[in-house]
Amino acid sequence: MKFVQVISCNLPKEKIGKLDRIRISGIGLIAYAFMAVLLIIAISTKTLPNTMIGAIFALVLMGHVFYYLGAHLPIFRSYLGGGSVFTILLTAILVATNVMPKYVVTTASGFINGMDFLGLYIVSLIASSLFKMDRKMLLKAAVRFLPVAFISMALTAVVIGIVGVIIGVGFNYAILYIAMPIMAGGVGAGIVPLSGIYAHAMGVGSAGILSKLFPTVILGNLLAIISAGLISRIFKDSKGNGHGEILRGEREEAAAEEIKPDYVQLGVGLIIAVMFFMIGTMLNKVFPGINAYAFIILSIALTKAFGLLPKYYEDSVIMFGQVIVKNMTHALLAGVGLSLLDMHVLLAALSWQFVVLCLVSIVAISLISATLGKLFGLYPVEAAITAGLANNSMGGTGNVAVLAASERMNLIAFAQMGNRIGGALILVVAGILVTFMK
């Protein structure tokens, strides 16, 4: 490439070869450096377009390089969730310290949330992972997984309440402001309606309550990501580690088969994935009390279970999902840090009691879900991550980060299943409890 030649014309060929062998998500270091300089100039001169193109250019470049750094830094790599946590934290710190201009944050947030790239990413990943599974295994795993997720959430809430009494904040406070929001399913589908439920029952404004709930979601999400990375590494050689398989004693031979990319099928996979998103969205309009993702998961699972989609279309969805995951996961993590993780809010809420209760939630749900998972025939490590930690995350983006940190992106359907359905149950339970605990 000409621009690479311009940059490297004064470098010895040996050094050029060594630098070019360093690859950041498939891009040679010299080419990457050129694009990074271009991004910095665009941001500093305010010429980065406030469009999808500008957002993709910024998020992909930041996401890839930050993930690469986090995956190679000793402490982060081994103990703090690797590239996933590093990407989210560093981008959030850049925003908190005003190093990252606000207009870039607005551009990123508009792409991730406003244009709903997050929705496209998640539905592509869910469809890809479910269509890749064997039908019988899908049904077996779902029937065992859901009880583990729901029972783990209920028992964890009780543990949080008891610890709340022990450390002096009270049972009611621990349940309403730690247990419920941390397991409510994120922000838009979680603490926003939860704050409305609390506000209606207490006769106060929802804005003040939302400000109390938000730090819990942020810290819980961050701890869940770190814990997922730790669990996957600490128990790497354990018999309880399914290495991405959730059902004990049964491995999918078909899952190992790689589908060769086809340009036309990629487009077919895109529209099929979007079709399922539309089905879930329309059903949500008819039944607004049920989250759209619950309908999306259900429609895809039933389609797979009854073999309604020919293999050609299934392969197309799998193919497109892999393209999205391999190329846009790091960008999405950068977008989470830029637009959703508010470090100021988090730091302002930090008290030792608050931190202890969030830690208790993480430890309790990990241990309980791993134990129940083993009893129900699941791999404990996978159960702890999907039925446990995913339910302490920030909804869809949190699930992606948790699974990315533990290198189990293929389990997104289970993480979403527990998070969305479980989150809806939490809202129902919270609506009942707040009348007695306010």
Side-chain angles (χ1 to χ4, degrees), residues 148-149 151-163 178-179 182-183 223 227 231 355-373 380 383-385 387-389 391-392:
V148 173
I151 297 171
S152 296
M153 293 170 76
L155 293 179
T156 298
V158 174
V159 172
I160 292 171
I162 293 172
V163 174
I178 303 296
I182 209 169
M183 294 187 287
L223 292 174
S227 300
I231 288 173
V355 174
V356 166
L357 288 174
C358 287
L359 283 170
V360 165
S361 179
I362 292 292
V363 173
I365 203 164
S366 298
L367 292 174
I368 293 170
S369 58
T371 303
L372 289 174
I385 292 169
L389 295 172
N391 287 321
N392 270 27

Side-chain angles (χ1 to χ4, degrees), residues 22-36:
I22 299 174
R23 300 269 164 170
I24 300 176
S25 295
I27 304 173
L29 187 58
I30 295 175
Y32 209 100
F34 177 84
M35 288 187 280

Side-chain angles (χ1 to χ4, degrees), residues 360-416:
V360 165
S361 179
I362 292 292
V363 173
I365 203 164
S366 298
L367 292 174
I368 293 170
S369 58
T371 303
L372 289 174
K374 187 174 182 180
L375 293 174
F376 277 76
L378 306 178
Y379 281 103
V381 170
E382 276 67 23
I385 292 169
T386 55
L389 295 172
N391 287 321
N392 270 27
S393 74
M394 194 184 286
T397 52
N399 288 341
V400 171
V402 165
L403 297 178
S406 58
E407 299 180 349
R408 282 164 172 77
M409 294 298 288
N410 63 302
L411 298 179
I412 185 68
F414 293 100
Q416 284 286 93

Side-chain angles (χ1 to χ4, degrees), residues 55 59 105-122 187-188 214 277 293 331-332 334-341 394 396-398 420:
L59 292 177
V105 177
T106 301
T107 298
S109 180
F111 175 63
I112 296 293
N113 302 307
M115 299 179 195
D116 202 20
F117 170 72
L118 175 62
L120 175 64
Y121 181 96
I122 291 176
V187 180
F214 195 59
F277 186 90
Y293 281 104
L332 185 61
V336 171
L338 287 178
S339 60
L340 290 176
L341 183 57
M394 194 184 286
T397 52
R420 294 305 180 182

